[in-house]
Amino acid sequence: MRNLLARRLRVAAGVLLGSLSAVAELAMTLASGLWLLVTLGWSADDRRGETRILAAARWWAELQRRRMARWYDTGTADLAAPLTGMPALSYVATRWTVGLLGGVVLLAAVIGAGYASLLVWGWFLVDLDRWPLAVAPAAFGGLFLLFLCVQGVQAVALMDEQLIRHFLGPSDRQTLERRIGELARSRAGVVEAVHDERRRIERDLHDGVQQRLVALGMLLGRARRAPDPEKSSELLRQAHEASQQALVELRDVAWRVYPAALDEGGLAAALETVAERAAIPVRLSCELRDTPPPTAQAVAYFVAAEAVTNAVKHSGAEQVTVRAERAGELLRLRVEDDGRGGADASGSGLLGLSRRVAALDGTLSVASPAGGPTVITAELPCA
């Protein structure tokens, strides 16, 4: 409740500053209109005052953007400063109406608060014998007006934010170009991640399974050539053990490529296999109201598997906590260990995970201060 009240007061302060700005914006609009009339028919070179007016509009628009970012906290801070003056001038010529509206709403709020306060002091000042029904209706009417104005302040702030986005936000073409750039970077990241994964699989097969099979072949050859039956039997026993180890390593490689549990039991079952195969205790919490898309489940699984493996190998952790949940349209996976921290987010392993997550337009954050703990959070869209 206290936070809500503080936010409402902060927004009201922003609307108040915006309403005070309306006076300057109206004067600037009149000055720019007069300047356009005076310079009508002039060439661009003759309009020596153009730069000053447009620069002033650009400066003012940037000032308003900072005001909204400071008081509204609606995400306007991500807007870029206006690069050209004409959109800024159009914005200034329009915004004073919103500022004036905000001033009217705030004035009505003050009037409503004044009438509402009659419930406290009106009984002592009003002649109740002459006006028996004056205090209560006026006070409750003031309360109702105050309630409407509180909602109106929020609406004015929203209009203010939408207006600046309309004039200073990116155009459809800029949005499309930015999206194309994001897709190009994502595609390059996916290609690089797949390349890294292929090299890892090749390394596992070459250094692990292949060496086991070579040793198995040598044991079988020695057993076939051994003249002593007991020696041959011992070599065959060793060959049998080597074949079992090769089979286990081959299953590990196949499991890391894509676990069958994802198709059979979903993300919860796949995360259980991660917890069971870990060398340290893993606390697992999987709260999914519905089944996420298969691609999101696969990426979440790989993030969990890689994070747990890193915790076991490098962090010195004694316990890992894995939590998967749905947050609106997001699948959120959080992996936390109690290790020494200091994980490098730009390392090949975490960088590969970041690329996998980015391929789904998701985000991956790594918090690993020295001394721990390390927290890796992946948010994957499921819409």
Side-chain angles (χ1 to χ4, degrees), residues 15-33 60 64 67-68 88-104 156 159-160 163-164 167:
V15 172
L16 177 61
L17 293 176
S19 65
L20 296 177
S21 302
V23 179
E25 290 161 353
L26 181 58
M28 193 178 299
T29 301
L30 295 175
S32 61
W60 188 263
Q64 296 302 314
R67 174 182 61 84
M68 295 178 203
L89 186 59
S90 301
Y91 166 72
V92 171
T94 309
R95 210 217 71 85
W96 68 269
T97 57
V98 178
L100 186 61
L101 178 62
V104 171
V156 170
M159 291 175 58
D160 216 358
L163 188 67
I164 196 170
F167 284 100

Side-chain angles (χ1 to χ4, degrees), residues 323-358:
R323 180 180 179 84
E325 61 180 357
R326 286 293 295 266
E329 296 297 329
L330 294 176
L331 168 59
R332 178 177 297 154
L333 179 77
R334 176 187 170 94
V335 181
E336 179 178 357
D337 67 58
D338 57 357
R340 65 178 69 93
D344 183 9
S346 61
S348 59
L350 292 178
L351 186 60
L353 292 181
S354 179
R355 288 167 175 166
R356 281 180 180 270
V357 173

Side-chain angles (χ1 to χ4, degrees), residues 122-124 159 235 299 362:
W123 311 99
F124 306 101
M159 291 175 58
L235 291 172
V299 173

Side-chain angles (χ1 to χ4, degrees), residues 13 17 67 70 73 80 82 94 101 107 139 162 179 187 212 236 250-251 275 332 334 339 354 364 368 370:
L17 293 176
R67 174 182 61 84
R70 169 67 178 82
D73 193 23
T94 309
L101 178 62
L107 179 61
Q162 290 180 343
R179 182 59 179 159
R187 175 182 175 277
R212 292 287 181 190
L236 286 175
L250 186 59
R251 285 174 177 169
R332 178 177 297 154
R334 176 187 170 94
S354 179
L364 181 78
S368 183

Side-chain angles (χ1 to χ4, degrees), residues 111-128:
I111 295 174
Y115 274 101
S117 66
L118 285 175
L119 288 173
V120 178
W121 53 268
W123 311 99
F124 306 101
L125 298 182
V126 177
D127 186 357
L128 296 178

Side-chain angles (χ1 to χ4, degrees), residues 242-263:
S243 68
Q244 296 297 318
Q245 292 175 353
L247 184 60
V248 170
E249 292 186 3
L250 186 59
R251 285 174 177 169
D252 286 343
V253 173
W255 181 78
R256 286 197 294 270
V257 172
Y258 190 86
L262 264 180
D263 289 334

Side-chain angles (χ1 to χ4, degrees), residues 293-318:
T295 52
Q297 293 188 67
V299 173
Y301 160 75
F302 282 112
V303 171
E306 183 72 19
V308 172
T309 301
N310 289 342
V312 173
K313 289 184 177 179
H314 309 298
S315 72
E318 297 180 354

